[in-house]
């Protein structure tokens, strides 16, 4: 096996193990055993468990962000919403192990390597779209950030739930997400207030 092939094999084995057991429970010994190599081979390629984990997380984040950003490329705002929800659910369906890795807490994740930072990147893309739409409709464009965080959070948490239950079918989940978000967003009040407020 070439060095590049071995590195790829170790990443595949590490990805599978991290998805199955999580970062804490996974070990270099088990990665090496499953790959059929000695521990020093793993250390040579990645420097340790943290190194292989960081590469696995970076790859998964890049794949998910690329999917969602591509889905936000064009169309009516409702279509963009459908495309974004569909892109996340497609990723969860096609790359369940990767999504499991992303949503777990990691002691080695940097500020740019967490699921939270990924959601912020996605929310930033959505915020730009919301900003344009809010401006065109006379809403306060400064609130686009708040609404983008709310929307992305709703879709991400629903995705985490759906990862485990897998019912209803993916397209139906996407349709319900869009229904809630779109029908709620389409009737936004300019100055919302609470009916009951504790002082």
């Amino acid at each position: 096996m070439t060095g590049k092939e071995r590195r790829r094999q170790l990443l595949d084995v590490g990805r599978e193990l991290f998805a199955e057991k999580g970062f804490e429970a996974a070990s270099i010994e088990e990665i090496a055993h499953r790959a059929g190599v000695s521990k020093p081979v793993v250390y040579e390629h990645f420097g340790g468990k943290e190194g292989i984990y960081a590469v696995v997380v970076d790859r998964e984040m890049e794949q998910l962000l690329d999917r969602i950003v591509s889905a936000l490329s064009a169309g009516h705002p409702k279509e963009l919403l459908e495309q974004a929800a569909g892109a996340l659910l497609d990723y969860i369906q096609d790359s369940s192990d990767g999504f499991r890795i992303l949503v777990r807490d990691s002691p080695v994740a940097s500020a740019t390597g967490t699921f939270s930072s990924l959601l912020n990147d996605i929310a930033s893309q959505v915020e730009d779209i919301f900003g344009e739409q809010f401006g065109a409709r006379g809403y306060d464009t400064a609130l686009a950030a708040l609404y983008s965080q709310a929307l992305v959070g709703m879709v991400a948490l629903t995705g985490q739930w759906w990862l485990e239950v897998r019912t209803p079918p993916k397209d139906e989940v996407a349709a319900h997400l869009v229904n809630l978000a779109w029908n709620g967003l389409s009737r936004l009040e300019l100055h919302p207030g609470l009916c009951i407020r504790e002082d």
Side-chain angles (χ1 to χ4, degrees), residues 146-192:
L146 184 152
Y147 281 96
S148 68
Q149 290 288 333
L151 179 63
V152 169
M154 177 183 76
V155 174
L157 284 175
T158 302
Q160 285 181 270
W161 166 79
W162 186 73
L163 173 66
E164 301 307 325
V165 299
R166 297 298 175 114
T167 185
K170 178 186 68 174
D171 288 345
E172 191 175 332
V173 172
H176 283 285
L177 282 168
V178 171
N179 182 41
L180 174 61
W182 183 255
N183 288 322
L185 292 173
S186 67
R187 293 179 183 86
L188 285 180
E189 297 173 355
L190 279 175
H191 304 287

Side-chain angles (χ1 to χ4, degrees), residues 8 10 13 61 77 94-95 119 132 147 170 179 181-182 184:
R8 178 71 173 150
L10 292 171
V13 168
M61 288 180 58
D94 300 342
S95 191
L119 294 181
E132 291 174 17
Y147 281 96
K170 178 186 68 174
N179 182 41
W182 183 255

Side-chain angles (χ1 to χ4, degrees), residues 33-56:
H33 176 74
R34 286 190 184 187
V37 299
S38 64
K39 289 191 321 187
V41 172
V42 181
Y43 286 114
E44 177 187 326
H45 284 276
F46 297 101
K49 183 169 74 167
E50 292 82 3
I52 194 169
Y53 185 82
V55 173
V56 168

Side-chain angles (χ1 to χ4, degrees), residues 120-143:
N120 283 332
D121 289 347
I122 294 166
S124 176
Q125 300 286 329
V126 173
E127 181 182 343
D128 292 341
I129 295 166
F130 276 7
E132 291 174 17
Q133 294 299 318
F134 280 25
R137 290 174 167 77
Y139 295 108
D140 182 357
T141 57
L143 293 173

